[in-house]
Amino acid sequence: MSEQARHLLEVDDLEVHFPTADGLVRAVDGLTFSLEPGRTLGIVGESGSGKSVTSQAILGLHRGTPAKVSGRIRFDGVELLDLPIKDLRRLRGNDISMIFQDPLSALHPYYSVGKQIAEAYRVHHSVSRRQALARAEEMLELVGIPNAGRRVHEYPHQFSGGMRQRAMIAMALVNDPRLLIADEPTTALDVTVQAQILELMKKLQREFGSAIIIITHDLGVVADIADDVLVMYAGHAVEQGAVNEVFYQPDMPYTWGLLSSMPRIGSPRGQRLATIAGSPPSLIRPPSGCRFHPRCAYRGLVEGDACVTTPPRLVAGGADHRARCHLEPGARERVRLQLSTIDSVGER
Amino acid sequence: MTEPLLRVTGLRKHFPTKGGLLSRNRSVVKAVDGVSLEVAGGETVGLVGESGCGKSTTGRTMLRALEPTSGRIEFDGRDITGVGREELRKLRREMQMIFQDPFSSLNPRHTVGTILAAPFEIQGIKAPNGVKAAVRDLLSRVGLSPEHYNRYPHEFSGGQRQRIGIARALAVQPRLIVCDEPVSALDVSIQAEIINLLQDIQAETGIAYVFVAHDLSVVRHISDRVAVMYLGKVMESATSDELYERPLHPYTNALLSAAPLPDPVQQRAREKIVLQGDLPSPSDPPSGCVFRTRCPMAQQVCAEVTPAYAEHSPGHWVACHFPEDEQLAA
Amino acid sequence: MFQYVVKRVLSIIGMLILISVSVFALFFAVPADPARLTCGKNCTPAIIEANRHALGYDKPIVVQYFDFMKGLVSERDFPDDPVIAKNSPQSITHCPAPCLGYSATQGQLVSTMIKQAFPITASIAVGAFVLWLVGGIGIGVLSALKRGSILERGLVGASLVAYSLPTFFIGLLLLDIVSIKYGLAPPAGYTPFVDDPVAWAKGMILPWITLAMVFAALYVRLTRANMLETLSEDYIRTARAKGVPEWAVIVRHAMRAALTPIVTIAGLDLGGVLAGAAITETVFNLNGIGKTGVYAIQQLDLPVIVAVVLLSAFVIVLFNFLVDLLYAFLDPRVTL
Ligand SMILES: Nc1ncnc2c1ncn2[C@@H]1O[C@H](COP(=O)(O)OP(=O)(O)O)[C@@H](O)[C@H]1O
Ligand SMILES: Nc1ncnc2c1ncn2[C@@H]1O[C@H](COP(=O)(O)OP(=O)(O)O)[C@@H](O)[C@H]1O
Ligand code: SF4
Ligand SMILES: [Mg+2]
Ligand SMILES: [Mg+2]
């Protein structure tokens, strides 16, 4: 029991399927992970791997749509999937809040930034409009928006991209949530602004102690901010573990591909980049066996045709590290040694 | 040194903007404000900087896809700043452009075959074995299969569309391609494929690229030389290795420091310069050095005197009163 | 903002002048003699000439135009002839400013006719407007929220049918069946609101329904489309993620955004209907602006045509202007 109470969030065998004219889209298909209070989990993966769908499932945002959601999502011991909508709403924006990739489209164009933050506060606190607006101003100040007293009355289109994302963060944190889900919060921003936003999130996490799930496709962002990493491929986790484990001891071919296809500022210039052959699989008819097998360059190292016939299970490789691959530990070790990019950064 | 393939000198592109409906104080957006740049045959020059700093406008203006406000553009030793329409059409055979979102520039109602055949017809290029064979050849050169000939753009993934965009640019056998953020919208593994493709084509044909991107590691990987832009001006330029190893401009430093490394230990251990505030408006740039409002090094003189864009060491140009290495010496 | 208003007002005045010139010019291009139309079957050339003189149709067109414009600011007399004024003052019709002219066909001042017709048109327009706005938007929102249900398909189908039926057909159908055959609704007729509000409303029910049907159908489709688009916007997801209750998500977030563009269209449509609902007025035999205008055209009654066209144009451009102001007020991204 105490083992369970340790987790703030437990996602178990989550499935989110969308019925479409072409067939059932298995956007998330058997995803399992957990998160402890105050920690940061980075979810990485190609676009279409199910990252956003997962984050929306946690908040129950697929309710009322044709999507079929099953599995278990426990937040602080409470099962969210069959929680009555009234109770779920009490959690949304209060205990769990969310920020999105494009802050311009995520903010309502017709209401001032202050009003929108105040609304998030008033939904969960019985205070007057004026008190809520004062709180909004306080939050804007906290996230580093200059002239917050004036800015609170301005509209989203009057803010720059970075300011808007700060405002979104202010809105997400106005109720001091225990979990903040950030879905590609810096993808639409310049690196300089991204750096500001990441610093801000780290600082606020230190102050508020919230757990964070940060979704991104930028491994640099994960390396910067995450304690744990979850690598998603075609709707499920293919590797997960502590950030150093996954970056320095990556345990399966897709992660190898991701890590070595990135050009790096520190590595020798001019050599060809590693690539991952092929393209992401159909989520309607996912490949048999290992979902990555059609693109995998290493399945020759696995004896027999297990990769094509049998889905690999998520198996623990280290204390805090699991991967979904049929390769023997010895073979993995040999490949890691060959991959220069991973090798060179592996020397800590 | 031999004559460069492309040389732009003091290039400016100002866009007039209207204030209110009636207000008379029309301002201009100084999108490009005095850029000088050279591209040698067969080399890749990277252009980096925050969005809105004028990278795309520079790229388009140097191809004369936009009319420069002032400045001089020379291609292959010839001044093309003022050449007329007919000449410009001929120049399009030498200089091409590819974009971040190739889909929006591909006609959705035409098959890939038709799209790729168009440049041959418009430019009247002779194809010894017929246009169709030439198009099939193009398709295989960019890593698409000839059976894609009869497909429509929407049937392709983002990476494949970018390949179509590249094939279309290659059709006229240009000597220079301006690549405007060609990989910014792609996933890393697809991005790697496109970068490899561009490099293969360069090795094969000796084409030159101007490579616009905001991802510093991508730019470093592909470029021989890199120019860093800020608010319409080049702040620093040098060979890739030089620029990334010995950045002189505080802005370059800040950019490099802001790009997160995909290596948790290094990334957490390094010292970060986090720039404060936002990009000033290009219609009302700061006096003196345009970077001074966000510069950690700024002094009084920065507000008063515009620093000259000068060659600091051979091939390494910088526009700053306090280049980094001099501070170290001081 | 102030500059904008001044500019718009000036352009409205310019436009009205332009329209009045065009109407005058057009009228003189028509190959028919308005003076001939002033008297019936047993007409002598002498009477026609006398009438022509009395109405000022013998003056050059430019002079007629300026007489008309002058009348807008100062009074006029019909006929404007000092000899007649001296000999038989009782046959002079005095027209106080703003004078829109004198209709020989009707034997009335145009302003009197307009004063009688406008309240009728306004009654039809405002009632129908409320009806189609409430009905159209209500059904539109409902069908967007019940997307994919049988209810939605029924509502959308019905609005499509209503939209494709011509106004006069709906009008005649209602008149014939609902009112005459089954007596479910009182026949149309105008009673001034101030005299008897109940009679006023009773007499207006059928015209309201007729006019509202077509518009409502259009608004159902517009509202539904806007709502569906808005409901898939990111900021709706944000609102839900904040824990905002669903009713508030729909009203405060979705409807606020989806209905704003409809305000523009509604304003313009109201302006259009206030300028005369010719078909509805004709079907129900109500002497509003539209019917007055149609009749005047049949009679080549120049002063009435000019007045109706100018009034209609004025109402339309005025509403255009008001809508732009309102829109800038509703959408913070728009600046004037
Ligand atoms: N409402 C929907 N209906 C059908 N398919 C969907 C829907 N939402 C998402 N998907 C599909 O689910 C997959 C995962 O999407 P998403 O979670 O947005 O990916 P990402 O990892 O890029 O955030 C994609 O293939 C997407 O097309
Ligand atoms: N057609 C145009 N009219 C007015 N301003 C423009 C136009 N094109 C670009 N700009 C402005 O010029 C500046 C530089 O734009 P751009 O060259 O697209 O930057 P980048 O490619 O570096 O993001 C921006 O401030 C942009 O708003
Ligand atoms: S299980 Fe087989 S196919 Fe899948 S990643 Fe491992 S080696 Fe490759
Ligand atoms: Mg996503
Ligand atoms: Mg650009």
Side-chain angles (χ1 to χ4, degrees):
Chain A
M1 199 62 228
S2 65
E3 176 65 22
Q4 282 210 345
R6 227 187 71 209
H7 298 303
L8 178 66
L9 180 76
E10 274 183 280
V11 173
D12 195 11
D13 200 22
L14 179 70
E15 289 185 353
V16 184
H17 294 176
F18 298 100
T20 67
D22 299 328
L24 197 65
V25 175
R26 297 161 196 274
V28 178
D29 212 21
L31 182 67
T32 300
F33 68 91
S34 58
L35 180 63
E36 276 91 69
R39 283 179 77 86
T40 301
L41 170 71
I43 303 185
V44 285
E46 285 169 291
S47 50
S49 55
K51 307 183 294 294
S52 300
V53 169
T54 302
S55 63
Q56 287 160 24
I58 297 172
L59 274 185
L61 293 175
H62 298 298
R63 290 191 184 201
T65 75
K68 294 195 176 70
V69 185
S70 64
R72 290 202 315 169
I73 300 176
R74 287 169 147 265
F75 178 77
D76 201 16
V78 179
E79 177 57 54
L80 298 188
L81 280 187
D82 44 37
L83 196 65
I85 183 74
K86 267 184 79 178
D87 298 329
L88 184 63
R89 235 175 246 139
R90 223 167 282 147
L91 289 177
R92 286 177 179 173
N94 195 17
D95 295 286
I96 310 175
S97 57
M98 193 154 172
I99 57 184
F100 302 96
Q101 172 172 346
D102 180 2
L104 182 59
S105 65
L107 288 166
H108 202 294
Y110 294 164
Y111 293 109
S112 71
V113 169
K115 271 203 183 133
Q116 298 188 51
I117 299 173
E119 184 187 32
Y121 192 60
R122 266 164 63 88
V123 169
H124 301 288
H125 296 86
S126 40
V127 293
S128 70
R129 267 168 218 282
R130 181 189 300 231
Q131 283 169 311
L133 207 63
R135 168 84 180 158
E137 188 182 323
E138 200 178 291
M139 288 306 294
L140 286 182
E141 219 155 279
L142 186 78
V143 298
I145 290 186
N147 301 322
R150 182 168 55 79
R151 288 294 195 147
V152 78
H153 301 293
E154 290 188 353
Y155 292 89
H157 73 273
Q158 294 166 296
F159 278 47
S160 70
M163 290 289 174
R164 274 179 218 133
Q165 198 57 290
R166 284 171 191 265
M168 274 302 285
I169 293 176
M171 187 157 89
L173 295 184
V174 70
N175 294 315
D176 197 358
R178 283 184 289 167
L179 172 60
L180 173 69
I181 304 174
D183 188 355
E184 312 234 11
T186 59
T187 303
L189 306 175
D190 278 305
V191 277
T192 52
V193 183
Q194 166 171 291
Q196 295 174 355
I197 298 291
L198 292 177
E199 285 307 309
L200 176 67
M201 285 176 64
K202 284 189 256 184
K203 176 185 147 232
L204 294 175
Q205 184 174 36
R206 282 195 297 273
E207 281 169 27
F208 288 73
S210 352
I212 295 179
I213 294 180
I214 183 166
I215 294 172
T216 172
H217 59 255
D218 187 339
L219 290 166
V221 171
V222 175
D224 185 66
I225 197 172
D227 302 311
D228 303 293
V229 189
L230 172 78
V231 182
M232 276 189 84
Y233 184 79
H236 58 206
V238 289
E239 179 155 4
Q240 59 193 64
V243 67
N244 285 0
E245 286 284 327
V246 175
F247 273 78
Y248 302 129
Q249 300 288 316
D251 231 1
M252 62 86 63
Y254 179 64
T255 316
W256 295 337
L258 278 185
L259 282 167
S260 48
S261 58
M262 276 190 89
R264 284 160 194 255
I265 284 180
S267 67
R269 231 172 53 75
Q271 68 193 21
R272 282 177 68 85
L273 293 168
T275 60
I276 304 173
S279 45
S282 154
L283 297 174
I284 296 175
R285 260 167 251 93
S288 63
C290 171
R291 291 201 173 168
F292 186 59
H293 88 254
R295 301 173 73 187
C296 182
Y298 301 96
R299 62 181 226 239
L301 303 180
V302 176
E303 262 176 58
D305 56 0
C307 295
V308 184
T309 55
T310 320
R313 285 178 308 118
L314 204 53
V315 180
D320 210 355
H321 191 182
R322 292 187 289 173
R324 206 186 275 277
C325 178
H326 288 306
L327 282 171
E328 295 295 330
R332 297 180 192 186
E333 191 57 47
R334 282 197 300 279
V335 176
R336 271 199 298 265
L337 288 174
Q338 280 168 15
L339 290 170
S340 60
T341 43
I342 296 170
D343 198 10
S344 69
V345 295
E347 293 163 9
R348 287 169 253 174
Chain B
M1 198 184 151
T2 52
E3 201 45 30
L5 181 65
L6 180 81
R7 173 192 283 149
V8 297
T9 321
L11 191 70
R12 289 196 160 73
K13 178 67 193 175
H14 294 179
F15 293 104
T17 55
K18 280 183 263 174
L21 262 172
L22 275 178
S23 64
R24 238 158 280 126
N25 51 346
R26 284 154 199 254
S27 60
V28 291
V29 175
K30 297 175 179 171
V32 179
D33 203 27
V35 165
S36 299
L37 213 67
E38 287 182 4
V39 185
E43 89 167 334
T44 303
V45 173
L47 222 49
V48 285
E50 285 165 284
S51 55
C53 71
K55 305 181 296 293
S56 300
T57 310
T58 303
R60 295 168 60 89
T61 313
M62 61 194 186
L63 296 191
R64 290 271 326 266
L66 287 172
E67 282 308 308
T69 307
S70 68
R72 186 180 160 92
I73 310 164
E74 289 158 274
F75 186 77
D76 208 11
R78 193 160 70 99
D79 187 346
I80 62 161
T81 321
V83 300
R85 273 180 146 219
E86 186 53 23
E87 279 294 291
L88 212 53
R89 201 180 61 84
K90 283 191 196 134
L91 272 170
R92 291 278 167 270
R93 279 181 73 157
E94 313 267 4
M95 313 189 296
Q96 284 283 316
M97 190 145 183
I98 57 181
F99 303 94
Q100 173 172 356
D101 174 18
F103 194 53
S104 58
S105 65
L106 300 175
N107 186 334
R109 270 184 284 272
H110 287 173
T111 64
V112 168
T114 318
I115 290 170
L116 293 183
F120 288 90
E121 279 143 30
I122 294 167
Q123 293 285 354
I125 293 166
K126 284 185 214 71
N129 301 319
V131 170
K132 204 161 179 172
V135 169
R136 285 180 198 281
D137 183 49
L138 270 178
L139 282 173
S140 65
R141 269 177 70 199
V142 298
L144 293 170
S145 89
E147 72 204 40
H148 288 137
Y149 191 91
N150 286 320
R151 302 245 187 105
Y152 291 88
H154 73 263
E155 296 175 65
F156 292 88
S157 67
Q160 286 174 316
R161 281 177 204 153
Q162 198 51 276
R163 288 172 190 271
I164 299 170
I166 294 171
R168 186 171 56 177
L170 287 178
V172 297
Q173 299 173 359
R175 288 198 281 165
L176 173 73
I177 299 184
V178 172
C179 312
D180 191 358
E181 312 239 7
V183 296
S184 302
L186 304 175
D187 278 311
V188 274
S189 67
I190 317 285
Q191 167 180 306
E193 289 176 8
I194 298 294
I195 292 172
N196 287 344
L197 174 66
L198 288 171
Q199 288 187 318
D200 293 346
I201 291 167
Q202 187 169 51
E204 197 185 308
T205 63
I207 199 170
Y209 296 128
V210 171
F211 193 93
V212 174
H214 61 252
D215 184 327
L216 286 104
S217 44
V218 169
V219 169
R220 185 192 102 106
H221 181 85
I222 197 168
S223 308
D224 300 302
R225 286 188 302 121
V226 177
V228 179
M229 284 187 71
Y230 187 81
L231 233 52
K233 293 182 191 313
V234 176
M235 296 282 105
E236 179 169 10
S237 86
T239 63
S240 283
D241 291 334
E242 169 86 8
L243 188 90
Y244 285 77
E245 274 155 34
R246 278 178 296 281
L248 294 176
H249 200 287
Y251 180 59
T252 312
N253 244 317
L255 270 186
L256 285 172
S257 152
L261 303 173
D263 181 322
V265 173
Q266 275 188 34
Q267 170 64 15
R268 282 161 213 226
R270 74 205 274 235
E271 206 181 307
K272 293 178 197 102
I273 310 163
V274 175
L275 285 184
Q276 300 306 313
D278 286 318
L279 210 60
S281 155
S283 54
D284 184 23
S287 65
C289 171
V290 286
F291 183 56
R292 70 171 166 86
T293 53
R294 296 168 79 196
C295 180
M297 311 285 160
Q299 306 289 326
Q300 184 63 32
V301 60
C302 301
E304 290 156 3
V305 184
T306 308
Y309 180 58
E311 194 164 17
H312 185 269
S313 56
H316 196 154
W317 295 67
V318 62
C320 177
H321 291 303
F322 306 102
E324 218 82 334
D325 64 338
E326 284 174 14
Q327 282 165 42
L328 292 179
Chain C
M1 175 73 188
F2 175 72
Q3 279 180 326
Y4 174 80
V5 171
V6 170
K7 194 180 160 188
R8 279 297 289 269
V9 168
L10 288 178
S11 90
I12 288 176
I13 293 173
M15 200 142 104
L16 291 176
I17 292 177
L18 210 75
I19 290 170
S20 62
V21 170
S22 319
V23 176
F24 259 80
L26 211 84
F27 182 75
F28 277 85
V30 175
D33 184 356
R36 172 71 190 79
L37 292 168
T38 52
C39 64
K41 275 221 172 83
N42 34 16
C43 217
T44 65
I47 301 178
I48 294 176
E49 282 317 307
N51 281 353
R52 188 189 305 285
H53 175 70
L55 293 168
Y57 290 160
D58 55 345
K59 293 184 189 163
I61 175 169
V62 179
V63 176
Q64 285 187 45
Y65 181 72
F66 280 106
D67 280 349
F68 171 77
M69 293 308 274
K70 220 163 50 194
L72 291 180
V73 286
S74 69
E75 54 185 14
R76 285 176 79 182
D77 283 333
F78 293 99
D80 186 11
D81 189 327
V83 181
I84 302 177
K86 195 181 252 171
N87 298 344
S88 49
Q90 74 287 353
S91 69
I92 298 274
T93 312
H94 180 72
C95 179
C99 175
L100 293 169
Y102 176 79
S103 165
T105 328
Q106 304 288 315
Q108 277 192 67
L109 285 178
V110 176
S111 35
T112 315
M113 292 171 65
I114 298 280
K115 260 180 229 151
Q116 282 165 0
F118 191 72
I120 299 179
T121 297
S123 300
I124 300 174
V126 172
F129 177 71
V130 171
L131 211 60
W132 91 59
L133 214 56
V134 173
I137 290 177
I139 295 173
V141 169
L142 192 68
S143 63
L145 294 180
K146 298 280 171 205
R147 186 177 192 187
S149 67
I150 298 174
L151 177 69
E152 185 224 9
R153 262 172 257 167
L155 291 174
V156 170
S159 74
L160 207 70
V161 171
Y163 185 64
S164 57
L165 293 178
T167 314
F168 72 86
F169 182 76
I170 299 176
L172 289 176
L173 204 73
L174 288 176
L175 194 64
D176 263 21
I177 299 183
V178 180
S179 174
I180 298 176
K181 199 153 172 206
Y182 294 105
L184 291 176
Y190 178 69
T191 317
F193 181 80
V194 284
D195 293 359
D196 183 353
V198 177
W200 171 80
K202 273 188 176 167
M204 285 293 147
I205 284 179
L206 287 184
W208 284 344
I209 294 177
T210 305
L211 194 57
M213 279 261 262
V214 179
F215 281 105
L218 182 71
Y219 281 59
V220 168
R221 300 195 320 167
L222 275 172
T223 307
R224 180 177 166 277
N226 276 0
M227 274 301 279
L228 285 179
E229 200 185 310
T230 309
L231 283 170
S232 66
E233 291 282 356
D234 284 359
Y235 53 77
I236 298 298
R237 190 181 57 192
T238 307
R240 292 203 176 108
K242 286 198 283 194
V244 174
E246 193 60 21
W247 68 264
V249 170
I250 289 162
V251 175
R252 244 190 339 239
H253 294 260
M255 285 175 65
R256 170 72 174 84
L259 299 187
T260 302
I262 293 184
V263 164
T264 320
I265 301 161
L268 298 181
D269 282 343
L270 176 61
V273 176
L274 276 175
I279 299 174
T280 308
E281 290 170 14
T282 309
V283 169
F284 293 102
N285 199 22
L286 294 164
N287 287 317
I289 298 287
K291 186 156 174 269
T292 306
V294 170
Y295 189 69
I297 289 170
Q298 285 164 358
Q299 300 297 316
L300 280 184
D301 194 349
L302 176 67
V304 179
I305 296 175
V306 172
V308 167
V309 169
L310 276 183
L311 179 72
S312 303
F314 175 69
V315 169
I316 288 170
V317 292
L318 179 72
F319 271 79
N320 242 306
F321 176 47
L322 293 180
V323 159
D324 285 353
L325 289 182
L326 185 61
Y327 201 79
F329 174 72
L330 289 177
D331 187 341
R333 291 168 299 182
V334 176
T335 48
L336 295 177

